[in-house]
């Protein structure tokens, strides 16, 4: 498991020392359990007898209620006391708003509650969320065994269901930072805000590898190559801590969506990923493997299919590969109503439930018709179509995480974290992330950074719109334009960055501009969307409003700087000649000041493209190493100024002008095969425009190779660069990967520069 970074560890330690844990003694839980007998009609194990004298109550604590015992021992004891109804309830997750009456939470022994994308509280603030959570948790505790619920929510770029929470850049922007340490710090901040509302489980991070930008969830991906999402699994350590439950702000993380949802044919959401197993393993599996190594607590399955078989029905992928081969010990949760989709008909069937549970689903996100679901699940168990061993395995996995989180000892909201929601410290971190995510794609004549004393005209529908810059999953599933939450718009950031805000003129549509302005900043792009509604099977260009706004700015003769707010690369090649500069801002979230930091040079742009930028939409899918000629290659990104000049006093034996090295790394292995990555580095004193790498295969046979072209002769493989990764500046690196049959051995690759 990856340890916390020193600064993150220090923050957690400081929190731990200053926080008063909201520990509920087992005797209190037992009292609530006894009260539940009046409202439950299900059979249950008899509640433990309690001595009402607090000094002697500890002697009556049952093993599963004793926090000093090892978690496996506590789980064993609790499982032995649970009825079938208790166990089936633990496998059931329901939408908060479907819970009518609330006492059903205890009656049906429900194990988990969630708030879906549009589920909210009134008024929508951190305090109300915490009150709602505590009310539900008290109901769950009022059962004979007092098993707490675990509450899940899509906190995917901050605690985005809560108005006033800090919203960070969506994953595509975080991928552009190339900074796993920053992403881990963000995970910690999100955990604190989520914990401040009582909620203990986030459906994040999304570890999809987006291979077609038409897909409406592209912005939920850190990048198009497996290396980027794999590196950004540091978010899991931020959420959970170095050990799950090691501190009061520890929140259960979810690696999603297993597996291949970013590779569907045509980029169709919930579609079919039609690729070989070798490619599935090479491209889509590595981030999940790393997530398991980091101890991720849960994995959510994908709606999509692999070669025609839905993930929720795929026992080989879920049980054999994820739980068996990768050694995942957490629990697998379905996506929203995904089990009900297996037969293509509305409404649960027993066959669907048996298929999913037997495939390896441990908890079903129902999310509404929980009574029918539980009835059918019980019927499948009674008929022997789901074995009790499978039920016990699912319960063991779920209960283990509840014990590790400390829910039995600290079931209620720790209100000391509530004030962190939208705190100044978290907003400062978000602003740092925004400026690190900016990718400068064009800067003709060095027009950027902008002068602070010039006259600037700002236009565009996303310049002064917190909803547009935050995107989907923002105080609602699909998000929406407008003042949906608190934060700083890009326009506000620009005004705050200049010497005299009165020298900034703003008109959304570009009306009123003349030739007297130093520059025009056009903030244009996409409006909010999420899954399903976000797919773009047709055009991927700017909308008519944007085009008309840009035409007005161009006609003025003023240099145009475009800030593109979008969840993916857009089709803008034919418009690019009209613009002096282009800055990809992605979906920055609530802290628009981070965009202004880069525009005015407080911070030079450092972001690198996490996606290949298409020359036209007809190129989709376009990815690094596929031989297509993009507008901007994967990893591209400019900055301000120039690098250092040559050393005036070189070493006596300077490195040759052209030189490179190749480093081989084993990524994954399985019986009869393996996957590896080779990193090429320019170690010379000048740029190289091409390279070849060769090594002895040692009896292995390469089955697939990406980001390079290869030939094999006399047992030796030679890999050549593609058109997009051959040019390397001094010190720059690139990589290619491959899968092969046979053992990896210890290859010693040799690099030759062109």
């Amino acid at each position: 498991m990856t340890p916390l970074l020193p600064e993150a560890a220090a923050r957690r330690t400081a929190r731990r020392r200053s926080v008063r844990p909201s520990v509920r003694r087992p005797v209190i839980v037992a009292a609530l359990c006894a009260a539940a007998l009046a409202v439950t009609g299900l059979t249950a194990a008899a509640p433990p007898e309690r001595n009402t004298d607090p000094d002697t109550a500890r002697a009556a604590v049952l093993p599963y209620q004793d926090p000093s015992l090892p978690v496996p021992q506590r789980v064993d004891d609790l499982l032995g006391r649970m009825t079938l109804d208790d166990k089936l309830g633990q496998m059931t997750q329901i939408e908060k708003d479907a819970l009518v009456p609330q006492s059903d939470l205890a009656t049906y022994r429900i194990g988990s509650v969630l708030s879906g994308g549009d589920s909210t509280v009134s008024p929508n603030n951190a305090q109300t969320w915490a009150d709602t959570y505590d009310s539900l948790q008290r109901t769950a505790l009022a059962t004979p065994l007092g098993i707490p619920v675990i509450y899940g929510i899509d906190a995917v770029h901050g605690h985005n269901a809560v108005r006033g929470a800090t919203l960070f850049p969506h994953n595509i922007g975080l991928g552009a930072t190339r900074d796993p340490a920053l992403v881990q710090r963000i995970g910690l901040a999100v955990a604190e805000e989520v914990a401040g509302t009582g909620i203990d489980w986030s459906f994040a991070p999304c570890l999809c590898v987006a291979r077609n930008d038409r897909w409406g969830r592209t912005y939920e991906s850190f990048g198009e190559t497996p290396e980027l999402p794999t590196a950004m699994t540091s978010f899991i350590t931020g959420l959970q801590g170095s050990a799950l439950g090691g501190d009061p702000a520890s929140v259960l993380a979810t690696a999603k969506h297993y597996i291949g949802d970013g590779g569907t044919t045509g980029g169709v959401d919930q579609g079919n990923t039609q690729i070989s197993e070798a490619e599935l393993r090479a491209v889509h599996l590595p981030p999940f493997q790393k997530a398991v190594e980091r101890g991720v607590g849960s994995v959510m399955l994908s709606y999509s299919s692999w070669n025609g078989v839905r993930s929720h029905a795929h026992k080989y992928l879920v049980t054999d590969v994820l739980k068996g081969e990768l050694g995942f010990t957490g629990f697998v949760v379905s996506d929203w109503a995904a089990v009900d989709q297996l037969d293509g008909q509305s409404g649960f069937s027993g066959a669907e439930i048996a298929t999913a549970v037997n495939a390896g689903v441990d908890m079903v996100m129902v999310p509404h018709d929980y009574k029918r679901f539980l009835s059918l699940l019980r019927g499948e168990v009674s008929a022997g179509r789901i074995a009790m061993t499978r039920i016990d395995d699912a319960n063991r996995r779920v209960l283990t995480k509840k014990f590790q989180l400390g829910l039995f000892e600290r079931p209620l909201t720790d209100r000391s974290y509530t004030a962190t929601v939208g705190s100044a410290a978290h907003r400062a971190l978000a602003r740092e992330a925004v400026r690190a995510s900016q990718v400068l794609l064009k800067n003709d004549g060095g027009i950027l950074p902008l002068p602070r004393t010039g006259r600037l005209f700002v236009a565009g529908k996303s310049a002064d719109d917190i909803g547009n810059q935050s995107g989907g999953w923002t105080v609602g599933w699909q998000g929406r334009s407008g003042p949906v939450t608190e934060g700083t718009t890009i326009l506000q950031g620009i005004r705050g960055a200049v010497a005299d805000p009165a020298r900034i003129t703003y008109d959304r549509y570009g009306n009123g501009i003349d030739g007297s302005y130093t520059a025009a900043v056009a903030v244009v792009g996409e409006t909010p969307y999420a899954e399903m509604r976000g797919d773009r099977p047709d055009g991927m260009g700017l909308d008519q409003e944007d085009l008309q706004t840009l035409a007005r700015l161009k006609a003025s003769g003023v240099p145009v700087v475009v800030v593109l707010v979008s969840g993916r690369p857009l089709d803008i090649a034919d418009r690019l000649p009209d613009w002096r500069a282009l800055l990809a801002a992605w979906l920055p979230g609530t802290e628009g000041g981070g965009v202004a930091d880069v525009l005015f040079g407080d911070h030079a742009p450092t972001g690198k493209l996490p996606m290949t930028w298409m020359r036209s939409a007809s190129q989709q899918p376009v990815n690094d190493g596929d031989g297509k000629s993009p507008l901007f290659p994967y990893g591209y990104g400019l900055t301000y100024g120039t690098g250092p000049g040559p050393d005036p006093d070189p070493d006596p034996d300077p490195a040759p002008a052209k030189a490179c090295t190749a480093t081989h790394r084993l990524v994954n292995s399985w019986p009869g095969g393996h996957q590896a990555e080779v990193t090429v580095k320019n170690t010379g004193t000048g740029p190289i425009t091409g390279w070849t790498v060769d090594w002895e295969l040692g009896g292995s046979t390469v089955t697939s190779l990406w980001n390079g072209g290869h030939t094999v002769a006399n047992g030796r493989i030679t890999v050549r660069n593609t058109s997009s990764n051959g040019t390397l500046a001094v010190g720059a690196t690139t990589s290619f990967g491959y899968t092969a049959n046979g053992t990896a051995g210890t290859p010693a690759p040799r690099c030759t520069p062109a």
Side-chain angles (χ1 to χ4, degrees), residues 458-679:
V458 181
K461 66 175 183 288
S462 296
D464 196 30
D465 194 306
I466 203 82
N468 284 358
Q469 73 186 47
S470 297
W473 293 107
T474 299
V475 197
W477 174 36
Q478 295 288 326
R480 59 183 174 86
S481 301
V484 296
T485 191
E486 286 77 47
T488 301
T489 68
I490 294 172
L491 175 64
Q492 290 170 333
I494 290 172
R495 284 177 170 157
V498 298
D500 181 5
R503 296 177 68 83
I504 304 295
T505 300
Y506 167 68
D507 182 85
R508 170 173 173 159
Y509 305 101
N511 294 316
I513 189 171
D514 58 34
S516 66
Y517 291 91
T518 307
V521 179
V523 189
V524 296
E526 296 185 301
T527 51
Y529 57 85
E531 56 188 311
M532 299 175 67
R533 301 178 196 173
D535 286 3
R536 295 189 69 168
D538 301 314
M540 299 184 68
L542 298 171
D543 64 23
Q544 283 303 305
E545 179 183 332
D546 286 344
L547 295 175
Q548 291 168 6
T549 300
L550 289 165
R552 293 185 187 100
L553 300 181
K554 177 186 176 183
S556 72
V558 173
V560 176
V561 173
V562 171
V563 176
L564 196 62
V565 173
S566 67
R568 54 192 148 199
L570 297 182
D571 191 346
I572 47 86
D574 60 338
R575 309 288 171 178
L576 190 59
D578 296 338
W579 309 337
R580 286 281 296 277
L582 172 59
L583 186 69
W586 312 111
L587 298 171
T590 54
E591 307 313 305
V595 178
D597 289 340
V598 172
L599 286 174
F600 291 94
D602 287 335
H603 296 270
T606 57
K608 304 296 181 184
L609 284 182
M611 310 284 179
T612 301
W613 202 290
M614 74 194 97
R615 190 169 293 278
S616 71
S618 63
Q619 281 188 316
Q620 290 294 338
V622 54
N623 292 290
D624 187 40
D626 61 9
K628 298 178 182 178
S629 176
L631 183 62
F632 301 109
Y634 174 84
Y636 183 84
L638 304 172
T639 191
Y640 301 149
T642 59
D647 186 351
D649 184 20
D651 294 333
D653 297 310
K658 290 187 176 183
C660 62
T661 59
T663 306
H664 187 279
R665 180 176 70 90
L666 183 65
V667 174
N668 193 11
S669 63
W670 55 89
H674 63 277
Q675 175 192 342
E677 177 186 77
V678 177
T679 299

Side-chain angles (χ1 to χ4, degrees), residues 119-346:
S119 180
T120 189
V121 297
S122 183
N124 185 353
N125 57 45
Q127 182 72 36
T128 311
W129 278 98
D131 293 343
T132 301
Y133 174 91
D134 284 354
S135 176
L136 290 166
Q137 192 66 280
R138 287 189 176 97
T139 301
L141 295 170
T143 53
L145 294 174
I147 303 174
V149 296
I150 184 170
Y151 198 121
I153 200 164
D154 287 280
V156 299
H157 65 130
H159 201 3
N160 43 258
V162 182
R163 185 178 176 92
T166 309
L167 299 188
F168 296 87
H170 270 292
N171 286 355
I172 191 171
L174 297 183
T177 71
R178 298 296 203 279
D179 192 342
L182 172 63
V183 169
Q184 181 169 319
R185 290 163 57 206
I186 291 170
L188 170 57
V190 174
E192 290 178 347
E193 296 205 11
V194 170
T197 62
I199 295 172
D200 23 58
W201 180 12
S202 173
F203 302 139
C206 185
L207 299 179
C208 54
V209 182
R211 305 291 287 175
N212 190 319
D213 299 342
R214 294 187 185 278
W215 186 38
R217 305 191 80 153
T218 296
Y219 66 78
E220 296 186 56
S221 172
F222 290 109
E224 71 181 33
T225 67
E227 291 78 15
L228 259 182
T230 299
M232 298 308 179
T233 56
S234 56
F235 187 83
I236 293 168
T237 304
L239 274 181
Q240 296 189 165
S242 57
L244 186 62
D247 116 359
S250 183
V251 169
L252 191 79
T254 307
K256 69 180 189 183
H257 300 88
Y258 186 82
I259 180 176
D261 55 340
T264 61
T265 301
V268 174
D269 190 48
Q270 304 186 23
N272 188 20
T273 301
Q274 297 169 290
I275 58 176
S276 67
E277 181 170 351
E279 185 175 349
L280 187 76
R281 286 178 173 273
V283 176
H284 299 281
L285 188 62
F288 290 95
Q289 181 175 7
K290 188 64 176 179
V292 172
E293 292 173 5
R294 285 185 179 271
V296 69
S298 68
V299 169
M300 184 182 291
L301 300 184
S302 172
Y303 284 117
S304 62
S305 304
W306 176 45
N307 294 333
V309 180
R310 289 187 180 270
S311 296
H312 286 76
H314 215 302
K315 185 176 182 180
Y316 171 69
L317 290 178
V318 179
T319 296
D320 297 348
V321 176
L322 177 63
K323 294 182 175 180
E325 182 182 319
L326 300 189
F328 175 60
T329 58
F331 65 90
V332 172
V333 63
S334 78
D335 208 335
W336 178 280
V339 172
D340 186 22
Q341 293 186 6
L342 291 182
D343 64 4
Q345 304 295 319
S346 179

Side-chain angles (χ1 to χ4, degrees), residues 398-450:
V398 172
L399 292 172
T400 295
K401 297 307 167 188
K402 289 186 176 184
F403 279 117
Q404 289 175 344
L405 278 168
L407 292 180
F408 284 80
E409 289 71 56
R410 301 183 299 274
L412 301 182
T413 305
D414 187 335
R415 302 292 175 129
S416 64
Y417 283 108
T418 307
T420 70
V421 178
S423 67
H426 290 171
R427 291 188 181 278
L429 175 61
R431 183 169 179 169
E432 177 186 348
V434 171
R435 60 183 179 241
S437 70
Q438 304 299 290
V439 180
L440 182 61
L441 297 173
K442 182 179 180 179
N443 193 23
D444 280 1
I447 190 172
L448 294 179
L450 294 168

